[in-house]
Amino acid sequence: MHSIEVNKAIIRDFYRRAIASGDLDYADQIIADDYIQHSATVKPGKAGLLDALRYISQMPKPATSAKPFMRLIAEGDYVVTNLRFAVGGQPKAVVDLFRLHNGQVVEHWDAVENQPESTLNGNPMMDGAVEIEDVALTGENKKIAGEFFQRVLVNRELVLLPEYVVSDLVQHQPDIANGRAGLEQYVQQNADLLVFQKIHRIIGEGNFVVIQSEGQLDQKPYVFYHVFRLHERKIVEQWAVKQQIP
């Protein structure tokens, strides 16, 4: 089995066994002893993650649960999950970024954001396509999405939007209207509040590209994860999850 598929299988099992079923023996097996934790909500190291999983396993399980939704995107040693879950009845949108080595999870980053009841675009924050297609175009799609992010979102060269984004863009970011015009309006209206400063990672698989970046929102430091779906060398769908950096 290809290493990317092996890594995806490990992460799927991590959610199913360690998180959903409380299998701490499995968690202990697949989490490296020198595990590095970047999530501000979890204590450092392997012990901190095992403590968090132990706490989750002891939480009351809901009588009914929503159908699981997860998008997995993998490249090299990295696996990204874009998923939803609920805590105390509050739906959450999540991006988890894992780095694996020799069949173990060695590093983790994330962002968690409350899902609103309604969105400006009418689309759920966590919905849409999940199937990986056009694997041969991974490199080209990463280049297109990276250029778009740097030139349009970081440098604010909005005149270039038509080069990268289709006119009928499907938008899942709650406060942005559908379409290329909705994205342009959002960037213009939030020019003084939202600043993207640095791209940290670009991870792609086929028609999906994930960009991890940092910046400021209302003069507060944030980490941002943007997920783009491309078709025929243009961005056709967008998701985003952000979280303030403490």
Side-chain angles (χ1 to χ4, degrees):
M1 188 184 297
H2 193 279
S3 61
I4 287 177
E5 293 305 318
V6 171
N7 287 343
K8 281 186 171 183
I10 291 170
I11 296 306
R12 285 191 193 98
D13 283 344
F14 174 74
Y15 284 106
R16 292 170 181 166
R17 296 176 61 177
I19 295 179
S21 300
D23 187 345
L24 297 183
D25 289 336
Y26 176 76
D28 183 63
Q29 173 188 332
I30 62 106
I31 300 167
D33 290 339
D34 56 353
Y35 170 81
I36 301 169
Q37 178 65 265
H38 295 276
S39 175
T41 60
V42 181
K43 294 177 183 178
K46 179 174 182 175
L49 180 54
L50 290 175
D51 281 347
L53 293 172
R54 189 173 295 108
Y55 174 77
I56 291 171
S57 71
Q58 295 169 352
M59 293 177 64
K61 299 294 188 290
T64 59
S65 59
K67 182 180 178 180
F69 177 89
M70 182 186 296
R71 182 179 291 111
L72 283 104
I73 301 157
E75 181 185 16
D77 293 334
Y78 292 97
V79 177
V80 181
T81 64
N82 185 205
L83 66 149
R84 66 179 173 220
F85 68 86
V87 176
Q90 170 62 59
K92 306 278 187 179
V94 183
V95 169
D96 280 313
L97 170 57
F98 301 92
R99 183 171 66 87
L100 293 93
H101 181 67
N102 291 335
Q104 289 189 305
V105 179
V106 296
E107 198 164 6
H108 170 256
W109 302 257
D110 69 355
V112 182
E113 189 174 352
N114 288 341
Q115 292 192 69
E117 292 184 3
S118 62
T119 65
L120 187 60
N121 47 60
N123 301 320
M125 196 172 174
M126 285 289 99
D127 197 0
V130 298
E131 295 299 324
I132 303 295
E133 301 174 348
D134 301 327
V135 174
L137 297 178
T138 295
E140 187 171 356
N141 285 338
K142 284 180 63 180
K143 182 175 183 292
I144 291 167
E147 285 184 358
F148 159 76
F149 198 94
Q150 182 64 47
R151 299 176 74 181
V152 176
L153 297 185
V154 177
N155 300 342
R156 303 296 174 89
E157 299 177 63
L158 293 179
V159 68
L160 299 177
L161 259 174
E163 292 186 24
Y164 299 103
V165 179
V166 295
S167 61
D168 57 347
L169 172 71
V170 179
Q171 182 63 253
H172 294 271
Q173 190 167 330
D175 46 356
I176 305 180
N178 276 317
R180 186 169 64 216
L183 179 58
E184 181 175 11
Q185 183 182 45
Y186 175 81
V187 175
Q188 288 175 332
Q189 290 179 344
N190 291 277
D192 295 331
L193 294 177
L194 179 62
V195 180
F196 298 105
Q197 296 169 319
K198 183 179 180 180
I199 296 173
H200 285 288
R201 289 172 183 82
I202 302 177
I203 298 165
E205 184 181 11
N207 54 331
F208 284 98
V209 178
V210 181
I211 297 183
Q212 179 197 44
S213 68
E214 69 173 277
Q216 292 193 342
L217 178 61
D218 197 18
Q219 298 184 333
K220 299 179 180 66
Y222 270 77
V223 60
F224 301 91
Y225 292 87
H226 286 80
V227 182
F228 301 104
R229 183 171 66 87
L230 290 89
H231 179 65
E232 296 183 348
R233 296 169 174 79
K234 285 198 174 182
I235 295 168
V236 298
E237 196 164 9
Q238 174 184 329
W239 300 261
V241 180
K242 64 184 181 295
Q243 184 167 308
Q244 187 174 345
I245 301 172

